[in-house]
Amino acid sequence: MKKFAMAAVAAAAMTAGVAQAYTQGTFSNGVVVPNVIHTGATATTTVGLINQTAAVVPVFWTFFDQDSNHVTDGCFPLTPKDTHAFVWSAASGVGLEGKRGYLVFAAGLPVVAPTVANACQAANSAAQDPAALISASAFQVDLAAKDVAYTPVIDGPLTITGDLSTMGPDNLTVVAGALQVPAGPDPVSFSMRYYVDGVVDSGADTRVVVWSTGSHKGTHTVNMYNDAQERKSVNFKLDHAELDWFDPETIVGRPAAFVDGFIEWAPVAALPADYTPAGGAGSLFAVGGSVFTYSVINAPAFGAAQTILGAHL
């Protein structure tokens, strides 16, 4: 691996994202924001949505916890050419400060010509609108740190079974903008970037996001590489079924010299011995699924958080 300054690597990774199988920046019947959290109005995930449908669109949203349990939901109308600012700290309701999860935004299928007044009626949540054209972008805002970090949004189309207003762990089965993991033995692997300084939660730190539609919970044996092509086999544990936010600096057995590099993870290569199935029928390992990874790197040299998509084969 040729050695680059981390800032250059971050910039290259972001611009290279268009060549990956991930799909972002398009219009479809819904989106997923895979990592959402707030600790108050000054530190929150914010989402901006655009409607290019030539009609009013009812957008039903659901917040799931890290194990894909339904927590809360709502709805808002989007008029043609409308832009809507969705601020999680304002929309979440009470008791969700510091609770990490993910958001699904899905366009409902109107049973009658919708208006702003009637778009969110219960009948419109019974099915998805295949003709709807909505898109979204997201950021993690931290006013105290004067930082705004890019949060990747996974484009649809979304495949959802059941009513959009009562979604549970089984309802979202496919997100077209994520990597579709084959159910068979075909190799799939992610290269997840890290940059640390050897001191946990001080100086240079990385958090890796893993999101999927089926359970990935368990201890995974992976190859970890540094920027000198050196390899070490280590383990990392994903504690939740469908959304994890882990610190590669805490991986036991990581050589001290491994401060800049990537983790190579093949999620369907082997079932972890301590694997925990999803609450419903979905399993990343048994029946395939949609999966998405990215890294958030904080370093004094950056002066702000940098987001790097997890490249995949």
Side-chain angles (χ1 to χ4, degrees):
M1 175 179 173
K2 189 175 180 180
K3 298 178 183 177
F4 294 94
M6 271 300 302
V9 172
M14 291 300 293
T15 56
V18 295
Q20 300 176 11
Y22 296 147
T23 304
Q24 297 180 294
T26 64
F27 288 86
S28 67
N29 68 353
V31 299
V32 172
V33 184
N35 184 32
V36 173
I37 191 170
H38 84 84
T39 55
T42 62
T44 183
T45 305
T46 62
V47 185
L49 296 104
I50 298 173
N51 178 29
Q52 287 286 11
T53 317
V56 176
V57 173
V59 177
F60 292 87
W61 62 266
T62 303
F63 176 74
F64 295 92
D65 68 14
Q66 291 181 257
D67 291 304
S68 210
N69 297 305
H70 176 283
V71 178
T72 189
D73 61 72
C75 177
F76 55 85
L78 285 179
T79 57
K81 304 295 183 181
D82 194 8
T83 301
H84 180 81
F86 184 94
V87 179
W88 177 231
S89 60
S92 64
V94 300
L96 286 175
E97 295 84 354
K99 304 295 185 182
R100 192 175 302 276
Y102 66 94
L103 281 165
V104 176
F105 294 89
L109 181 63
V111 294
V112 295
T115 66
V116 170
N118 70 11
C120 289
Q121 61 184 307
N124 291 344
S125 67
Q128 296 170 267
D129 185 353
L133 297 172
I134 63 174
S135 72
S137 57
F139 297 91
Q140 190 66 31
V141 177
D142 186 340
L143 295 183
K146 297 182 179 179
D147 191 16
V148 179
Y150 167 68
T151 297
V153 172
I154 314 172
D155 288 356
L158 308 181
T159 300
I160 297 173
T161 60
D163 194 289
L164 301 181
S165 67
T166 56
M167 292 172 59
D170 295 341
N171 294 104
L172 178 63
T173 59
V174 176
V175 183
L179 176 65
Q180 307 310 307
V181 178
D186 295 339
V188 174
S189 69
F190 289 87
S191 296
M192 304 183 295
R193 291 285 285 116
Y194 69 89
Y195 180 65
V196 298
D197 59 5
V199 181
V200 175
D201 291 330
S202 178
D205 292 299
T206 298
R207 295 294 186 273
V208 178
V209 174
V210 177
W211 179 88
S212 73
T213 56
S215 180
H216 52 236
K217 187 175 183 178
T219 301
H220 302 261
T221 300
V222 296
N223 284 320
M224 190 173 193
Y225 291 86
N226 69 2
D227 59 354
Q229 299 88 50
E230 296 173 326
R231 182 197 64 82
K232 180 73 180 294
S233 179
V234 295
N235 300 300
F236 72 85
K237 187 174 183 180
L238 298 178
D239 294 317
H240 300 279
E242 298 193 12
L243 168 62
D244 272 88
W245 167 261
F246 75 91
D247 181 0
E249 199 162 22
T250 63
I251 291 176
V252 176
R254 176 187 61 85
F258 281 43
V259 296
D260 186 353
F262 66 94
I263 297 166
E264 192 173 66
W265 176 49
V268 294
L271 194 68
D274 58 348
Y275 167 68
T276 303
S283 167
L284 175 62
F285 303 97
V287 298
S290 302
V291 85
F292 190 88
T293 73
Y294 68 93
S295 301
V296 179
I297 299 175
N298 279 282
F302 293 167
Q306 302 295 315
T307 304
I308 302 177
L309 294 179
H312 60 76
L313 295 172

